[in-house]
Amino acid sequence: MFEPLDKLLNNPIRLIIMSVLMQVENSDFTYLKEVTNSTQGNLSIQIKKLSDAGYILVSKGFENNYPKTNCKVTIRGKAAFEAYFNAINSYKNNPIK
C-alpha cells in the first residue's frame, strides 16, 4: 500500500523552499526567489502557506533600511519533509502488482 503524500509539499515551489531550509539554518526571501525561479508574488503566497501550516517560521525586519524577510524550518516542518520523502521511498519498495 502506498503512503499518502503531503499535498502541501507536493507543490514544486514549496518543495524547493523546504529543501533549501532543511540544509541551512535560515534563508532570506531574495535567495529563495532566486532558487525557486518564482515571481515575488507567487513566492510570498507559497511561503505564507508553509508558515500557516507551521512548517516554517517567517521573520521580517530591516537591513540597511531595506525590508528583509527570513525563513526558517520548524520541527514540525522537518518532520513533514522527512515523512514526505519516506512516503516517496516506500513507492519504490512496493511495486504495483
Side-chain angles (χ1 to χ4, degrees):
M1 187 72 182
F2 293 116
E3 293 183 41
L5 294 176
D6 183 335
K7 290 180 182 179
L8 189 66
L9 295 179
N10 230 11
N11 172 282
I13 293 174
R14 291 191 294 261
L15 189 56
I16 292 169
I17 293 167
M18 290 297 292
S19 295
V20 167
L21 295 177
M22 289 293 289
Q23 298 176 51
V24 297
E25 186 175 332
N26 63 58
S27 182
D28 69 1
F29 186 89
T30 304
Y31 180 72
L32 292 173
K33 184 174 178 276
E34 183 181 310
V35 297
T36 60
N37 198 29
S38 178
T39 64
Q40 188 170 339
N42 191 17
L43 182 59
S44 293
I45 289 168
Q46 304 313 326
I47 286 173
K48 177 146 178 38
K49 288 182 180 187
L50 290 168
S51 177
D52 289 347
Y55 288 4
I56 65 172
L57 290 175
V58 178
S59 61
K60 296 180 182 262
F62 286 89
E63 185 175 286
N64 298 325
N65 292 329
Y66 292 99
K68 184 161 183 160
T69 300
N70 279 303
C71 301
K72 179 179 182 175
V73 70
T74 64
I75 292 170
R76 180 178 182 170
K78 286 179 184 179
F81 187 83
E82 289 168 0
Y84 183 84
F85 276 95
N86 287 337
I88 287 176
N89 281 330
S90 75
Y91 286 25
K92 70 179 181 183
N93 295 327
N94 290 312
I96 299 173
K97 296 178 182 179

